[in-house]
Amino acid sequence: MSVKIKTKEVYEVQNQYKAFYTGGTVQWTSDGSEMLCQNAGAINLVSVTDDTVEPVIFGDADESDAVYTFALSKDSHNVVSAHRSGLMKLWDKNSRQVSKMWRGLHQGPITKLVFSDDDTLIASGGTDTTVRVWDPKEQVCKGTLRGCQGVINLLVFHPDVESKILLAAGDDVKINAWNYETRELVKSFAGHFSKVTGVSFTSDHKFLVSSGRDKILIMWNYETQQAVKTIPVYESLESVIVLPKGVHLPGLKLKSDKVYAACAGEEGLIKVWEMTETKIVFKQKNSLVTKSAEEGGLAITDLLFNKQSSKLAIVSADHNIIIHDLETFECSKQLSGFSDEILDLILFGKKDHFLGMATNSNDFKIYDTTNMNCQLVKGHTDIVLSLSANQNYILSSSKDNSIRLWRYDTAKFTVQCVAIGLKHTNAVGSIAISKVSGKFCASVSQDKCLKVWKIPKEFNETTDEKELTRLNCTLTELAHEKDINCVCISPNDRLIATGSQDKTAKLWDASNLSLVGVFRGHRRGIWAVRFSPVDQILLTNAADCSIKLWSLTDMTCLKSLEGHESSVLRVEFLSHGMQLLSAGADGLLKLWSIKTSECLQTLDKHESRIWALCVTEDESVFYSGGSDSQLIKWKDVTDEKREREMNERKEVLLQEQELNNLLQDKKLLKALRLALNLDRPLMTLKIITSVIKSQEQGLPDTIQKLRNDHKETLLKHAIEWNTNSKNCRPAQLVLNILLQQMLSGEFQVSELNKHLEAALPYTERHFKRMTEYAKDLKFIEYTLHCMQPHATTREANKTDKV
């Protein structure tokens, strides 16, 4: 019994996942439920609890007045932002409205903002080496503090509000402290040899700890300004936080009389130092941040501590925000702020529950599609280029010349690397894992080789990188003359297809890598190959803007689809091989019918190249991603569209029947409203003509009672009738009524000039014709009048003769 396959006609955007943090300031609300993140020239609000990202709330990234930096008040009620225009704006966080606005007075951009502990003052530091203290209520500058050199990159109010002290650091490696009321420089802490990146006070305010790019931590006696302890940490530090008393760390009891400082930097992990004894008491082992590739580079850019929830947040250089519970130091939340260029997407798990994403990063990301919770997967040492998955494993490839096999647990939402393959000599650009047997996988590389790897039945249960199971490369073939872009395994695991920059695609026997056939015909490099799920057909798409379908039996080209105006980067089969979904370098997605070779729909939401496509098993949803950093979820709304069209058709038929009934009953004025509602110019004309013929009164009153949109529809209809001289009388009658209502203000029409331009030429022609008719009529009347005396005389003569 054959089953009729329903084809797709319409896809619509269900969700768009855009960047919400692209670098800069991150602030945590006091209750720990939300974070404010700098996103280009705007600020986004992110929920830590459910991953919802509010739209731009403070400022607009599209406007010229972009946000340079911002600060959140200690009570989390207000936000102050510094803008490109030089303005400072105070926002109410809840209403998202500007409550105060004033000019910043700095001779250049403002780089740092901070609220005092009682939220009564705001300090701003700029590129002009000055620090200014503001009263936000009065919008006045309370004082300008000078003494730093270079760009101000650190501002801290003394925790004791009564002390009236503000600390700042610039490029001169000193930490300066002013009394902001007297504007006097009261203290200076000199000990660092490079940029100071962090300052944190102890709970009793007697000591402060500072971090720097010079790879040292210094604990200062605040009163004497002396360095009590200087600790070499052998890494550039970006942030330091003195942990408050009562905080617990896993397997460690913190003593109340000691000073514990958490710091992080280029190594990508958090270390907790006991400052008085200069020793590490805790070192993070489960870091999800990759170590900086070069000395002095960035890995962790900031640390945030939330006292109420006892959680520590790490802000990474890859724009990820990772939240740890201090008591267990387990990762409780991961937020991916910016995905950069999305290179590949896969769906896996039951009912495609999880989404894997490879971006311009050494780590790839896994999302739970139900709530878009994110998890970073570390392992590769260079950018991950491709992903593939079956019911048991995930396979990844990278620029580090390796492939990795990962075992995933959908219940626990965990991924573990179980094996690694290291035989390629260049970046591995594409991989494929067998779906049916799951016993082998294939990889292609810039070294022009195709390799087949055997997946072992057992693995070494270890987390040590050196002891990982090695994948056994069973077959190798120098497959193409240039870089190989793609590889695909057939649905029955018997064939492997490859596509290359040498403009050819090749078919290989999976058992021995013997060449089965070569597909020639593309004029540019081939980006992707796909096997049809039901037919003996191979699909190729290339940089020559075309998609080709090839027969696997005789290697001939069956069909070529052309419609993209730029490179076709990815294509997937739909509807049991009856349709195609293609993605182009111009940011367009196209839905094709293979039978008719027609493009059924073009989807335009991406701004640039679309590298990745993945379709759910039931084909109701697909995801797309590309170089614009957007992940877009598309939903099939074909059934909804068909149902909507059917309902609309039913409604129209009912209204047409009602219209016929009204006309039959001679209820012309009621029928007029319905005809306008149905937008039927001919029917409206018939009704107006019938009203005129029947001499029925009330047409102006009826038109006056119409809604404004109905009047505009009637105006369009009248202009359309006016083009035919037969219908000029009803057209001019309606135009006359509507123009009078326009003059009286009862009727307002959009694009009036356009309507008048359309009506005037024909109206002038009708007027000219009627004028000529009137002249002819007058001439006939005059002729008859002149002939009348002669006719009277003639009749009289006839009478006399009789």
Side-chain angles (χ1 to χ4, degrees), residues 191-216:
H192 285 281
F193 301 100
S194 187
K195 181 180 175 181
V196 181
T197 55
V199 168
S200 182
F201 278 89
T202 58
S203 55
D204 58 7
H205 310 160
K206 292 180 180 179
F207 299 95
L208 62 92
V209 178
S210 63
S211 63
R213 295 269 176 88
D214 52 4
K215 305 183 180 182
I216 60 173

PDB file of all heavy atoms in Angstrom, residues 191-216:
ATOM      1  N   GLY A 191      53.784  48.817  42.985  1.00  0.00           N
ATOM      2  CA  GLY A 191      54.440  47.527  43.169  1.00  0.00           C
ATOM      3  C   GLY A 191      54.353  46.652  41.938  1.00  0.00           C
ATOM      4  O   GLY A 191      55.188  45.770  41.729  1.00  0.00           O
ATOM      5  N   HIS A 192      53.368  46.892  41.131  1.00  0.00           N
ATOM      6  CA  HIS A 192      53.221  46.129  39.891  1.00  0.00           C
ATOM      7  C   HIS A 192      54.166  46.676  38.815  1.00  0.00           C
ATOM      8  O   HIS A 192      54.571  47.835  38.852  1.00  0.00           O
ATOM      9  CB  HIS A 192      51.778  46.177  39.401  1.00  0.00           C
ATOM     10  CG  HIS A 192      50.842  45.299  40.194  1.00  0.00           C
ATOM     11  ND1 HIS A 192      50.753  43.948  40.003  1.00  0.00           N
ATOM     12  CD2 HIS A 192      49.968  45.601  41.196  1.00  0.00           C
ATOM     13  CE1 HIS A 192      49.856  43.437  40.829  1.00  0.00           C
ATOM     14  NE2 HIS A 192      49.359  44.423  41.572  1.00  0.00           N
ATOM     15  N   PHE A 193      54.476  45.816  37.857  1.00  0.00           N
ATOM     16  CA  PHE A 193      55.357  46.212  36.766  1.00  0.00           C
ATOM     17  C   PHE A 193      54.625  46.230  35.424  1.00  0.00           C
ATOM     18  O   PHE A 193      55.239  46.489  34.397  1.00  0.00           O
ATOM     19  CB  PHE A 193      56.552  45.256  36.684  1.00  0.00           C
ATOM     20  CG  PHE A 193      57.368  45.223  37.945  1.00  0.00           C
ATOM     21  CD1 PHE A 193      57.200  44.198  38.864  1.00  0.00           C
ATOM     22  CD2 PHE A 193      58.289  46.221  38.223  1.00  0.00           C
ATOM     23  CE1 PHE A 193      57.940  44.165  40.030  1.00  0.00           C
ATOM     24  CE2 PHE A 193      59.039  46.188  39.389  1.00  0.00           C
ATOM     25  CZ  PHE A 193      58.872  45.165  40.296  1.00  0.00           C
ATOM     26  N   SER A 194      53.349  45.943  35.467  1.00  0.00           N
ATOM     27  CA  SER A 194      52.541  45.957  34.253  1.00  0.00           C
ATOM     28  C   SER A 194      51.122  46.370  34.635  1.00  0.00           C
ATOM     29  O   SER A 194      50.852  46.683  35.796  1.00  0.00           O
ATOM     30  CB  SER A 194      52.551  44.576  33.599  1.00  0.00           C
ATOM     31  OG  SER A 194      51.916  44.614  32.343  1.00  0.00           O
ATOM     32  N   LYS A 195      50.232  46.361  33.680  1.00  0.00           N
ATOM     33  CA  LYS A 195      48.873  46.847  33.877  1.00  0.00           C
ATOM     34  C   LYS A 195      48.174  46.146  35.044  1.00  0.00           C
ATOM     35  O   LYS A 195      48.196  44.921  35.161  1.00  0.00           O
ATOM     36  CB  LYS A 195      48.065  46.622  32.592  1.00  0.00           C
ATOM     37  CG  LYS A 195      46.628  47.098  32.655  1.00  0.00           C
ATOM     38  CD  LYS A 195      45.934  46.826  31.328  1.00  0.00           C
ATOM     39  CE  LYS A 195      44.462  47.176  31.386  1.00  0.00           C
ATOM     40  NZ  LYS A 195      43.776  46.896  30.110  1.00  0.00           N
ATOM     41  N   VAL A 196      47.563  46.943  35.937  1.00  0.00           N
ATOM     42  CA  VAL A 196      46.787  46.413  37.054  1.00  0.00           C
ATOM     43  C   VAL A 196      45.385  46.073  36.542  1.00  0.00           C
ATOM     44  O   VAL A 196      44.712  46.912  35.955  1.00  0.00           O
ATOM     45  CB  VAL A 196      46.710  47.417  38.213  1.00  0.00           C
ATOM     46  CG1 VAL A 196      45.921  46.818  39.380  1.00  0.00           C
ATOM     47  CG2 VAL A 196      48.103  47.828  38.668  1.00  0.00           C
ATOM     48  N   THR A 197      44.953  44.840  36.785  1.00  0.00           N
ATOM     49  CA  THR A 197      43.679  44.385  36.206  1.00  0.00           C
ATOM     50  C   THR A 197      42.576  44.178  37.233  1.00  0.00           C
ATOM     51  O   THR A 197      41.404  44.091  36.865  1.00  0.00           O
ATOM     52  CB  THR A 197      43.890  43.066  35.444  1.00  0.00           C
ATOM     53  OG1 THR A 197      44.486  42.114  36.335  1.00  0.00           O
ATOM     54  CG2 THR A 197      44.804  43.268  34.244  1.00  0.00           C
ATOM     55  N   GLY A 198      42.928  44.057  38.521  1.00  0.00           N
ATOM     56  CA  GLY A 198      41.892  43.811  39.515  1.00  0.00           C
ATOM     57  C   GLY A 198      42.298  44.262  40.902  1.00  0.00           C
ATOM     58  O   GLY A 198      43.473  44.203  41.269  1.00  0.00           O
ATOM     59  N   VAL A 199      41.312  44.737  41.667  1.00  0.00           N
ATOM     60  CA  VAL A 199      41.516  45.140  43.062  1.00  0.00           C
ATOM     61  C   VAL A 199      40.314  44.659  43.860  1.00  0.00           C
ATOM     62  O   VAL A 199      39.168  44.822  43.424  1.00  0.00           O
ATOM     63  CB  VAL A 199      41.671  46.666  43.209  1.00  0.00           C
ATOM     64  CG1 VAL A 199      41.590  47.072  44.673  1.00  0.00           C
ATOM     65  CG2 VAL A 199      42.979  47.134  42.626  1.00  0.00           C
ATOM     66  N   SER A 200      40.581  44.051  45.038  1.00  0.00           N
ATOM     67  CA  SER A 200      39.492  43.588  45.885  1.00  0.00           C
ATOM     68  C   SER A 200      39.884  43.765  47.345  1.00  0.00           C
ATOM     69  O   SER A 200      41.021  43.447  47.733  1.00  0.00           O
ATOM     70  CB  SER A 200      39.196  42.111  45.591  1.00  0.00           C
ATOM     71  OG  SER A 200      38.115  41.647  46.361  1.00  0.00           O
ATOM     72  N   PHE A 201      38.949  44.276  48.161  1.00  0.00           N
ATOM     73  CA  PHE A 201      39.190  44.521  49.585  1.00  0.00           C
ATOM     74  C   PHE A 201      38.829  43.302  50.413  1.00  0.00           C
ATOM     75  O   PHE A 201      37.916  42.530  50.057  1.00  0.00           O
ATOM     76  CB  PHE A 201      38.350  45.707  50.074  1.00  0.00           C
ATOM     77  CG  PHE A 201      38.960  47.053  49.768  1.00  0.00           C
ATOM     78  CD1 PHE A 201      38.696  47.697  48.571  1.00  0.00           C
ATOM     79  CD2 PHE A 201      39.800  47.680  50.682  1.00  0.00           C
ATOM     80  CE1 PHE A 201      39.243  48.934  48.285  1.00  0.00           C
ATOM     81  CE2 PHE A 201      40.358  48.918  50.405  1.00  0.00           C
ATOM     82  CZ  PHE A 201      40.082  49.545  49.210  1.00  0.00           C
ATOM     83  N   THR A 202      39.521  43.143  51.521  1.00  0.00           N
ATOM     84  CA  THR A 202      39.142  42.138  52.499  1.00  0.00           C
ATOM     85  C   THR A 202      37.915  42.636  53.264  1.00  0.00           C
ATOM     86  O   THR A 202      37.575  43.824  53.220  1.00  0.00           O
ATOM     87  CB  THR A 202      40.294  41.865  53.479  1.00  0.00           C
ATOM     88  OG1 THR A 202      40.656  43.089  54.132  1.00  0.00           O
ATOM     89  CG2 THR A 202      41.497  41.289  52.750  1.00  0.00           C
ATOM     90  N   SER A 203      37.253  41.719  53.968  1.00  0.00           N
ATOM     91  CA  SER A 203      36.000  42.076  54.645  1.00  0.00           C
ATOM     92  C   SER A 203      36.201  43.101  55.757  1.00  0.00           C
ATOM     93  O   SER A 203      35.292  43.870  56.069  1.00  0.00           O
ATOM     94  CB  SER A 203      35.324  40.820  55.195  1.00  0.00           C
ATOM     95  OG  SER A 203      36.214  40.106  56.035  1.00  0.00           O
ATOM     96  N   ASP A 204      37.408  43.138  56.383  1.00  0.00           N
ATOM     97  CA  ASP A 204      37.650  44.127  57.439  1.00  0.00           C
ATOM     98  C   ASP A 204      38.248  45.424  56.893  1.00  0.00           C
ATOM     99  O   ASP A 204      38.562  46.343  57.657  1.00  0.00           O
ATOM    100  CB  ASP A 204      38.567  43.539  58.516  1.00  0.00           C
ATOM    101  CG  ASP A 204      39.905  43.072  57.946  1.00  0.00           C
ATOM    102  OD1 ASP A 204      40.156  43.329  56.747  1.00  0.00           O
ATOM    103  OD2 ASP A 204      40.676  42.433  58.688  1.00  0.00           O
ATOM    104  N   HIS A 205      38.446  45.499  55.584  1.00  0.00           N
ATOM    105  CA  HIS A 205      38.921  46.698  54.874  1.00  0.00           C
ATOM    106  C   HIS A 205      40.351  47.074  55.226  1.00  0.00           C
ATOM    107  O   HIS A 205      40.825  48.151  54.836  1.00  0.00           O
ATOM    108  CB  HIS A 205      38.011  47.910  55.129  1.00  0.00           C
ATOM    109  CG  HIS A 205      36.563  47.660  54.920  1.00  0.00           C
ATOM    110  ND1 HIS A 205      35.571  48.440  55.461  1.00  0.00           N
ATOM    111  CD2 HIS A 205      35.915  46.679  54.225  1.00  0.00           C
ATOM    112  CE1 HIS A 205      34.386  47.972  55.116  1.00  0.00           C
ATOM    113  NE2 HIS A 205      34.574  46.899  54.368  1.00  0.00           N
ATOM    114  N   LYS A 206      41.070  46.206  55.948  1.00  0.00           N
ATOM    115  CA  LYS A 206      42.448  46.526  56.321  1.00  0.00           C
ATOM    116  C   LYS A 206      43.427  46.214  55.204  1.00  0.00           C
ATOM    117  O   LYS A 206      44.500  46.797  55.120  1.00  0.00           O
ATOM    118  CB  LYS A 206      42.843  45.744  57.581  1.00  0.00           C
ATOM    119  CG  LYS A 206      42.107  46.171  58.845  1.00  0.00           C
ATOM    120  CD  LYS A 206      42.564  45.343  60.033  1.00  0.00           C
ATOM    121  CE  LYS A 206      41.827  45.763  61.301  1.00  0.00           C
ATOM    122  NZ  LYS A 206      42.255  44.946  62.481  1.00  0.00           N
ATOM    123  N   PHE A 207      43.055  45.275  54.351  1.00  0.00           N
ATOM    124  CA  PHE A 207      43.956  44.858  53.285  1.00  0.00           C
ATOM    125  C   PHE A 207      43.204  44.902  51.943  1.00  0.00           C
ATOM    126  O   PHE A 207      41.970  44.833  51.886  1.00  0.00           O
ATOM    127  CB  PHE A 207      44.462  43.432  53.517  1.00  0.00           C
ATOM    128  CG  PHE A 207      45.236  43.264  54.792  1.00  0.00           C
ATOM    129  CD1 PHE A 207      44.603  42.823  55.952  1.00  0.00           C
ATOM    130  CD2 PHE A 207      46.590  43.547  54.837  1.00  0.00           C
ATOM    131  CE1 PHE A 207      45.304  42.669  57.126  1.00  0.00           C
ATOM    132  CE2 PHE A 207      47.302  43.397  56.020  1.00  0.00           C
ATOM    133  CZ  PHE A 207      46.660  42.962  57.165  1.00  0.00           C
ATOM    134  N   LEU A 208      43.997  45.020  50.886  1.00  0.00           N
ATOM    135  CA  LEU A 208      43.427  44.870  49.544  1.00  0.00           C
ATOM    136  C   LEU A 208      44.380  44.006  48.730  1.00  0.00           C
ATOM    137  O   LEU A 208      45.606  44.028  48.953  1.00  0.00           O
ATOM    138  CB  LEU A 208      43.145  46.207  48.884  1.00  0.00           C
ATOM    139  CG  LEU A 208      44.275  47.185  48.593  1.00  0.00           C
ATOM    140  CD1 LEU A 208      44.833  46.978  47.195  1.00  0.00           C
ATOM    141  CD2 LEU A 208      43.764  48.610  48.716  1.00  0.00           C
ATOM    142  N   VAL A 209      43.805  43.251  47.806  1.00  0.00           N
ATOM    143  CA  VAL A 209      44.596  42.360  46.942  1.00  0.00           C
ATOM    144  C   VAL A 209      44.455  42.851  45.516  1.00  0.00           C
ATOM    145  O   VAL A 209      43.353  43.154  45.050  1.00  0.00           O
ATOM    146  CB  VAL A 209      44.101  40.901  47.063  1.00  0.00           C
ATOM    147  CG1 VAL A 209      44.898  39.994  46.135  1.00  0.00           C
ATOM    148  CG2 VAL A 209      44.216  40.420  48.500  1.00  0.00           C
ATOM    149  N   SER A 210      45.584  42.938  44.807  1.00  0.00           N
ATOM    150  CA  SER A 210      45.573  43.405  43.417  1.00  0.00           C
ATOM    151  C   SER A 210      46.209  42.369  42.512  1.00  0.00           C
ATOM    152  O   SER A 210      47.104  41.617  42.927  1.00  0.00           O
ATOM    153  CB  SER A 210      46.325  44.737  43.295  1.00  0.00           C
ATOM    154  OG  SER A 210      47.680  44.567  43.653  1.00  0.00           O
ATOM    155  N   SER A 211      45.730  42.299  41.277  1.00  0.00           N
ATOM    156  CA  SER A 211      46.277  41.394  40.265  1.00  0.00           C
ATOM    157  C   SER A 211      46.740  42.203  39.074  1.00  0.00           C
ATOM    158  O   SER A 211      46.274  43.325  38.851  1.00  0.00           O
ATOM    159  CB  SER A 211      45.216  40.377  39.829  1.00  0.00           C
ATOM    160  OG  SER A 211      44.120  41.054  39.218  1.00  0.00           O
ATOM    161  N   GLY A 212      47.639  41.616  38.286  1.00  0.00           N
ATOM    162  CA  GLY A 212      48.148  42.346  37.136  1.00  0.00           C
ATOM    163  C   GLY A 212      48.619  41.446  36.022  1.00  0.00           C
ATOM    164  O   GLY A 212      48.712  40.220  36.173  1.00  0.00           O
ATOM    165  N   ARG A 213      48.914  42.078  34.904  1.00  0.00           N
ATOM    166  CA  ARG A 213      49.451  41.352  33.754  1.00  0.00           C
ATOM    167  C   ARG A 213      50.915  40.939  33.976  1.00  0.00           C
ATOM    168  O   ARG A 213      51.486  40.244  33.149  1.00  0.00           O
ATOM    169  CB  ARG A 213      49.358  42.236  32.508  1.00  0.00           C
ATOM    170  CG  ARG A 213      47.945  42.578  32.072  1.00  0.00           C
ATOM    171  CD  ARG A 213      47.413  41.573  31.084  1.00  0.00           C
ATOM    172  NE  ARG A 213      46.035  41.839  30.747  1.00  0.00           N
ATOM    173  CZ  ARG A 213      45.648  42.662  29.766  1.00  0.00           C
ATOM    174  NH1 ARG A 213      46.552  43.312  29.062  1.00  0.00           N
ATOM    175  NH2 ARG A 213      44.368  42.838  29.507  1.00  0.00           N
ATOM    176  N   ASP A 214      51.520  41.440  35.070  1.00  0.00           N
ATOM    177  CA  ASP A 214      52.912  41.097  35.370  1.00  0.00           C
ATOM    178  C   ASP A 214      53.041  39.755  36.096  1.00  0.00           C
ATOM    179  O   ASP A 214      54.103  39.429  36.627  1.00  0.00           O
ATOM    180  CB  ASP A 214      53.575  42.197  36.199  1.00  0.00           C
ATOM    181  CG  ASP A 214      52.762  42.552  37.439  1.00  0.00           C
ATOM    182  OD1 ASP A 214      51.743  41.883  37.679  1.00  0.00           O
ATOM    183  OD2 ASP A 214      53.133  43.498  38.146  1.00  0.00           O
ATOM    184  N   LYS A 215      51.926  38.980  36.155  1.00  0.00           N
ATOM    185  CA  LYS A 215      51.906  37.619  36.683  1.00  0.00           C
ATOM    186  C   LYS A 215      52.162  37.562  38.186  1.00  0.00           C
ATOM    187  O   LYS A 215      52.734  36.591  38.682  1.00  0.00           O
ATOM    188  CB  LYS A 215      52.920  36.733  35.943  1.00  0.00           C
ATOM    189  CG  LYS A 215      52.732  36.711  34.439  1.00  0.00           C
ATOM    190  CD  LYS A 215      53.692  35.765  33.758  1.00  0.00           C
ATOM    191  CE  LYS A 215      53.456  35.776  32.239  1.00  0.00           C
ATOM    192  NZ  LYS A 215      54.340  34.827  31.542  1.00  0.00           N
ATOM    193  N   ILE A 216      51.717  38.586  38.894  1.00  0.00           N
ATOM    194  CA  ILE A 216      51.849  38.556  40.348  1.00  0.00           C
ATOM    195  C   ILE A 216      50.563  39.003  41.020  1.00  0.00           C
ATOM    196  O   ILE A 216      49.768  39.761  40.449  1.00  0.00           O
ATOM    197  CB  ILE A 216      53.024  39.436  40.856  1.00  0.00           C
ATOM    198  CG1 ILE A 216      52.819  40.907  40.451  1.00  0.00           C
ATOM    199  CG2 ILE A 216      54.355  38.903  40.387  1.00  0.00           C
ATOM    200  CD1 ILE A 216      53.837  41.842  41.064  1.00  0.00           C
TER     201      ILE A 216
END
